[in-house]
Amino acid sequence: MTPDEWLASNEVRLEQIQTGGGYPTLFALFGEEEFDLELDTLFAFGLARLLDRVAALIERSGSR
């Protein structure tokens, strides 16, 4: 599935997230005319945060 296909298949859900009020920063970004959602960048960011947390858990468990 290409990024464009994924975005098209999730358009309704993304609209609900954008207008739901739970993510004001995301709402502001989507409100900008030139904002382009790059799925590879979003994935890399999310994966990095997940791996940071796993590393912290490993570090904490090693100090017991």
Side-chain angles (χ1 to χ4, degrees), residues 38-50:
E38 291 289 332
L39 295 181
D40 290 338
T41 302
L42 184 61
F43 176 80
F45 178 81
L47 180 59
R49 300 297 74 73
L50 178 67

Side-chain angles (χ1 to χ4, degrees), residues 7 23 32 45 48 50 52 64:
L7 286 170
Y23 303 94
E32 293 180 14
F45 178 81
L50 178 67
D52 288 346
R64 289 184 184 180

Side-chain angles (χ1 to χ4, degrees), residues 5-25:
E5 290 170 336
W6 185 88
L7 286 170
S9 70
N10 288 285
E11 187 173 357
V12 172
R13 180 68 181 128
L14 292 170
E15 179 71 21
Q16 291 170 341
I17 291 170
Q18 177 189 352
T19 60
Y23 303 94
T25 302

